[in-house]
Amino acid sequence: MINRYTRPAMGALWTEEQKFRSWLAVELAVCEARAKTGEIPAKDWSAIRRKADFDTARIAEIEAEVRHDVIAFLTAVAEKVGPASRHIHVGLTSSDVVDTALSYRLVAAADMLLAEVEKLRAAIAAQATRHAYTPMIGRSHGIHAEPTTFGLKMALMYDEFGRAAARLRAARETVCVGKISGAVGTHAYLNPKIEAAVCRKLGLRPAAISTQILQRDRHAEFVAALALVGSSIERWAQEFRHLQRTEVGEVAESFGKRQKGSSAMPHKRNPIVAEQLCGLARVLRGHALAAMENIPLWHERDISHSSVERIILPDATILLDYMLAKLTELVAGLQVNAERMQANLDLTRGLIHSQQVLLRLVAKGVTREEAYAWVQRQAMTSWKTGRPFFDLLATDADIMRVLTARELAACADLKPHFRDIKRTFRNLGLPLP
């Protein structure tokens, strides 16, 4: 992931230093488990525990010669430990270390992402509560439909990112697996109890069965979950982009005093954060496809997945961490223009209440088909002429033969659209103002 998008905590997880630290954690956990069974003398385990370390530059130097990263790592550690290093990596294959350590880091990444989702949901909840009863137009196909509230829109977003959190928790569970089973997964040289002890120490579960590697459908599910969360981010970033359009003007991203929107046009305030998030979501979806391509490997393993994962796993986790943080900032600083929302509600001169008129006529005994035709003919006239909808309805002999003037006027009431807000918020666990 390019540096400008890397936030410190998540970025640090994917450094070379941290990769080797996680490898060392696996090797030490194996040695500790073997020491407890008496396979490693207490004196040697003590030396390993005290001296085991590495120098990243030295690993790179060795790797340049041997062209094998795990061997370079083991050699660098052995130089620090001395004779007792003969007990390190006994019965293991490289992927025992690499895959188990990778799972350990993916779990840590998932925990960071879950924390960011909760921050985002807190920001969404604040906007939902603040604007629970702020009326605005709901749109279908981009066309004015019926009234809703901005709070309900935010409540929908809050619910969606609740599902995002659930997906991340499920993905975390899927990759929370280690393997210490040897070259083709048969536990030929290490008792499965060693594997269980190592995984327990690292907060993982032992795989029920493995080959030389953990199967890559796990990692594909993890990255797919990240891509789904990214798509939810894009869904809402796109929503905010539309609502910021000049013709709509219902919300706006925060804009700093010294911020500039255009090199040519000083008046511009562009939805740059929302646009950026829409673009980055495409990258995440691309990583999900690459992760799926990693699933079919030759026999007990090959390494065609390895080069891909060195890019997509750090990149996807860092990228989603960044996107969640930016969306949180966008939501928390969102400027809501309630006056413009009201103006847009009034834009169609009452057409948005057509269903209330239809239902009132049906309630008075008119067939639905006939009532629909009566209301639609006046709605189409209003679209064409710009005349207020209710003025036209009041001149329709069929309608006024059924409804009184008071009953017709009541059809423009917004209250029916607000009646379910309390129940909805209560179901979502959202506070009302």
Side-chain angles (χ1 to χ4, degrees), residues 138-151:
R139 298 170 173 90
S140 59
H141 306 278
I143 306 300
H144 285 205
E146 289 195 337
T148 183
T149 75
F150 190 67

Side-chain angles (χ1 to χ4, degrees), residues 12-28:
L13 184 64
W14 297 106
T15 62
E16 286 291 281
E17 172 76 20
Q18 188 56 39
K19 178 181 76 174
F20 295 135
R21 287 289 160 207
S22 65
W23 289 7
L24 186 59
V26 175
E27 293 283 5
L28 288 175

Side-chain angles (χ1 to χ4, degrees), residues 194-258:
I194 300 297
E195 180 181 65
V198 171
C199 289
R200 185 165 56 248
K201 186 173 183 64
L202 297 175
L204 307 173
R205 304 184 314 279
I209 185 172
S210 57
T211 59
Q212 191 171 114
I213 59 167
L214 292 169
Q215 301 308 291
R216 259 41 199 181
D217 61 288
R218 296 180 182 277
H219 304 74
E221 181 178 336
F222 184 87
V223 181
L226 269 56
L228 274 170
V229 177
S231 293
S232 287
I233 290 174
E234 182 182 14
R235 177 262 189 274
W236 287 99
Q238 183 168 273
E239 178 74 13
F240 296 136
R241 284 173 66 191
H242 170 73
L243 296 178
Q244 290 180 79
R245 291 171 58 207
T246 305
E247 294 84 355
V248 180
E250 294 177 353
V251 305
E253 293 180 13
S254 60
F255 196 83
K257 289 183 178 179
R258 303 187 67 180

Side-chain angles (χ1 to χ4, degrees), residues 100-143:
T100 303
L102 179 58
S103 294
Y104 181 76
R105 286 194 289 164
L106 288 175
V107 167
D111 288 340
M112 292 183 201
L113 293 172
L114 282 163
E116 289 304 315
V117 171
E118 290 312 306
K119 291 177 187 176
L120 172 59
R121 294 188 85 211
I124 298 168
Q127 290 284 22
T129 298
R130 187 177 302 121
H131 295 286
Y133 292 99
T134 301
M136 66 179 297
I137 189 61
R139 298 170 173 90
S140 59
H141 306 278
I143 306 300

